[in-house]
Structures are given as structure tokens and as C-alpha cells.
Amino acid sequence: MSSNTPTDSGIPPPRVALVPTTPLQRARIAVSVLFVINAVTLSSWLPRLAELQSNLALDNAQLGLVLAAGAAGGLIIGPLSGYLVARSNSARVSVVSFVLMALALPAIGLVRNGWMLAVVLLWLGALDAVMDGAMNAHGLRVQHRYGRSVINSFHGYWSLGTVAGAVVGSVSLVVGFPLGWTLALVAAASAAALAATARWLLAGPDPDEHSADDDALAEATSTADPGSVAVGSAVQRSRRPAEGYGRVLTRMTALLGVFTLLAVIIEDIPARWSSIYLTDLGAPASMVGLGFTAFTVAMTVGRFTGDALVNRFSEATVVRVSMALAGSTLGVALIVGTTWAYIGACVVIGLAVATLFPAAMHAATRIPGVRPAMGVATVGWIARGGFVVAPIAVGAIAERFGLAWGLTVPIVAAAALIPLSTILRPRRAEPIP
């Protein structure tokens, strides 16, 4: 019997959709692609960081400063994300910023000294900050249309992209494929995926708030290309020049920024220092990328399962337990000082940090008096400080006392997040004087 054959009651059985059939389903796929390709481009070179350090003759302190340049780019340009989204829309800003990232990515494999690498990372960090704010804002628009939480799944796809990038980087290292060509292929494949799905992003300007008004509902069913149609009051609201930074700095914004800054510090250590620490431990080349890979795989699993945990135990409880486990496990691994102990700690850290950033981004859309996109951009901008603090702190401590001592920085950050987790509860915030 075919799927179109009527039943005995004369009513055709329902069809099972094998492809997304509604604009909202397609928008969810398109946002997922944004998160994946962003992560792939940023992670595909990290397993080869130790190789870059050796080729450029950088010590740990110098490497820390070079890595901090990428974060500095995000800190300088990051605040523009909310402004650009308000002037244009989150779909267009996400697409354009990624295209510029893809064009610059292969330059990492062509640099000849630390200063050149710092400049490239500065540029990539700036573009990533803009894309990060825009794609999170767009993902939260999609979540609002769904009427239930899907933001963790978007960050899960980001983690999945990080895994894919880590695998590509690790395999290219093992087989000896040139880094420049590896990154060029990554950029080309990511751009192709974006070209196939960008037209599915939600059309029109971003709203002032995530309210289910008539314009938002009409936009959710629109089949127009991103940014190609905007009518009525939605246009007027999105063009308000007063939606700047005069009232975006609230106590809740600041506390959420500190929360995400500490979360970034914990995430940044396994990503940027694992290959170097495992090399110091004497791990073979085939295992050097395993710390980063184990961390990203665990974080991916944690993000795809995070909604269930949060719904059952609350965000604050999940943070407290996970941070206690992450800090204690990493401390034990550094004391033991073996390859497998550290890789095991990377697994625990990946699971522990999985829901931190999505929860903070969601909370940023609920800051009273602040546009969702502006709140997300501002909190994400403050979080960029973690990418500056982490490499400088680890590099400086490692140069003086050894890398194992430098890796205690995320233990301190995890301890600080335990009491700070209460900020995830919705509350009214007053502007900072």
C-alpha cells in the first residue's frame, strides 16, 4: 500500500516528512549550519597548535600573548554585533561575518612569525565575535517561534562542528597534510554548506523583544529570503537609534558577562593547551589531539542532553554539581600527571560546561529594557575577556612554574561559578550608575 492510499475510513494516512517542510523547520536547520561551520573553522587548526608553536619558535608566554590577540579582536569589535543586528538583521550579519572569516582562515597556515599569527587571529577573533552574537540572536528568535527550548541543540551542533574540526586537524597532522591547504578546504566546504541553507534563515528585522506579536508570527511563516521583506511596526522598532548601549549595561548584564567569562576560561584551557600539555607529558603524535577531541565530544553529548537535565534539576543545580566535578577532576588529573588521567578530565570538563553558555545567552534575552540581540551581544562581548585572561594567565604561570600549574586556572574559575550560578534565575535588573 502506498503512503497515499486511503484507509478503510476513507481518510488518507498521514505522510512522514523526510525533509523539512515548514519555514520554521528550515530556519532551525539553517541556524544549526551556522553554528557548525563557525565551530569547524575555529577548531580545525587547534590540534596543530603545538606544531605552529614549534615552527614559529614561540615559548609558552609568547604563545599566550599571540592567542590573546584573537580575544582582543573580539573585545574590540564585539560590541558592534548588537548594533549591526539592529541596523540590519541577525541573518545577514551572520552570513557576511562568516564569509569574511572563511576568506582569512587559510592565512593561519601561511604565517612566518608570531606577529603575523597574532594579526590573523585578531581578525578572526573580531569576526567571530560579530558572528557569535548574531547567530545566537537568530537562534533565540527561532527558539521563541518554537515555544520551547532549542538553544542547547544549536550549541550542541556547535560542539559537533568543533569535533569535526578537531578530527580534521588531527588527521591532517598525522598524515602530514599542509595546514594552509587543510584550512582552505575547510573554508570552502563550510562556505558551500552556508550557500545551500542561508536562504532558510528567518526574514526581516529582529524584534525589540521576544513577544508573540502579529509581526513575529507573520515573519515565522514568511518564505522570503533573509532581510528581503519588512513591513509595519516591526521595521520602525528595529530602526530605533536609541537601542544602543546607554541602557544595556545593567547589573544582570554584568553578572551574566562575568558568568560567561568564567565559563569561557574553563572551555578555553582544553581547547588551546591540551596538545601542548600532552606533548609535555610525552604522548605520541597520534594522541596529542585526543585531549581536545575528548573534551569536544563530551561537550557535544552534554549539550544534546542538557535540556533534560536542566528541566529536571534546574540550571543553578546543574551548574553547581558540574563545576564541583570539573574542578576536582582536573585537580586530581594534574596531580596524577598521566596522559589518560588528563584525557579523562577533559571528558568531565566537556560534560560539565555544556549548558553554561547556552543558559547565559538565554538569560541575556530576558534582561528588562534591553533588546534580545543587544543583550546577547553585550554578554558575549564581556565573555570574550575570558579568551584574553585565560591564555595570558596560563602562559605566564606555565613559564614560571610549569604548564601543570598554569592549568589550575580553570579550577579557580569553576569554584567561582558555583555561587554565581544564581544569576541564571530571571530577575529584574537596574542600570549600573
Side-chain angles (χ1 to χ4, degrees):
M1 180 183 294
S2 70
S3 61
N4 296 322
T5 303
T7 61
D8 292 340
S9 63
I11 301 175
R15 291 185 176 183
V16 177
L18 299 179
V19 295
T21 57
T22 68
L24 190 55
Q25 289 174 325
R26 291 193 290 268
R28 185 174 180 178
I29 290 176
V31 174
S32 299
V33 169
L34 286 175
F35 276 79
V36 169
I37 61 178
N38 175 270
V40 169
T41 57
L42 294 175
S43 64
S44 54
W45 64 277
L46 289 175
R48 303 185 67 163
L49 185 56
E51 175 191 6
L52 272 173
Q53 181 184 25
S54 176
N55 291 343
L56 301 179
L58 302 174
D59 60 32
N60 287 332
Q62 291 171 331
L63 180 62
L65 290 172
V66 168
L67 295 177
L75 284 173
I76 295 169
I77 303 298
L80 285 179
S81 179
Y83 174 80
L84 292 173
V85 168
R87 289 292 179 181
S88 179
N89 60 44
S90 53
R92 184 179 293 118
V93 174
S94 298
V95 170
V96 172
S97 56
F98 175 77
V99 170
L100 295 176
M101 285 177 63
L103 291 173
L105 183 66
I108 293 176
L110 303 176
V111 297
R112 292 292 178 264
N113 55 58
W115 286 108
M116 292 176 66
L117 180 60
V119 170
V120 174
L121 295 183
L122 182 84
W123 176 250
L124 288 174
L127 292 170
D128 173 55
V130 174
M131 183 180 182
D132 184 55
M135 71 183 185
N136 270 286
H138 204 78
L140 288 162
R141 285 182 66 188
V142 172
Q143 172 171 283
H144 178 72
R145 306 298 189 267
Y146 266 89
R148 57 185 172 86
S149 176
V150 296
I151 189 65
N152 276 299
S153 69
F154 291 140
H155 285 265
Y157 281 111
W158 187 90
S159 298
L160 195 62
T162 304
V163 173
V167 169
V168 169
S170 297
V171 171
S172 68
L173 174 63
V174 172
V175 302
F177 196 68
L179 178 58
W181 280 107
T182 298
L183 299 181
L185 292 174
V186 166
S190 299
L194 177 63
T197 58
R199 66 185 184 278
W200 293 347
L201 295 168
L202 294 178
D206 287 56
D208 288 346
E209 59 184 8
H210 289 312
S211 59
D213 55 27
D214 292 338
D215 293 326
L217 293 176
E219 181 181 20
T221 58
S222 172
T223 57
D225 288 341
S228 63
V229 58
V231 295
S233 59
V235 175
Q236 299 301 319
R237 288 195 305 274
S238 70
R239 304 298 182 185
R240 289 178 185 172
E243 298 289 350
Y245 293 92
R247 62 178 184 175
V248 79
L249 292 177
T250 68
R251 297 187 190 282
M252 185 174 177
T253 308
L255 288 173
L256 282 172
V258 173
F259 182 96
T260 51
L261 185 150
L262 294 172
V264 163
I265 289 175
I266 301 172
E267 289 186 26
D268 189 62
I269 303 305
R272 298 188 186 274
W273 295 94
S274 286
S275 64
I276 297 172
Y277 182 62
L278 290 174
T279 299
D280 288 350
L281 290 178
S286 60
M287 294 184 65
V288 165
L290 284 184
F292 178 43
T293 303
F295 167 77
T296 51
V297 169
M299 187 164 65
T300 301
V301 173
R303 282 179 168 169
F304 281 117
T305 59
D307 285 325
L309 287 174
V310 167
N311 290 335
R312 181 171 181 179
F313 299 108
S314 85
E315 290 172 335
T317 299
V318 171
V319 168
R320 293 187 190 109
V321 173
S322 61
M323 289 301 96
L325 288 173
S328 58
T329 303
L330 179 57
V332 170
L334 294 175
I335 293 172
V336 173
T338 65
T339 298
W340 286 111
Y342 179 76
I343 292 173
C346 287
V347 172
V348 175
I349 295 171
L351 292 170
V353 302
T355 63
L356 298 187
F357 201 77
M361 292 295 99
H362 186 205
T365 67
R366 305 192 302 264
I367 302 173
V370 178
R371 288 180 58 136
M374 201 68 81
V376 168
T378 305
V379 170
W381 170 60
I382 298 173
R384 295 272 158 179
F387 293 113
V388 175
V389 173
I392 292 178
V394 173
I397 295 173
E399 192 65 21
R400 186 173 179 83
F401 302 105
L403 186 53
W405 282 103
L407 296 182
T408 62
V409 172
I411 299 177
V412 177
L417 278 173
I418 294 175
L420 193 56
S421 61
T422 56
I423 191 59
L424 298 177
R425 299 170 184 168
R427 66 188 67 194
R428 180 170 296 277
E430 297 298 331
I432 295 176

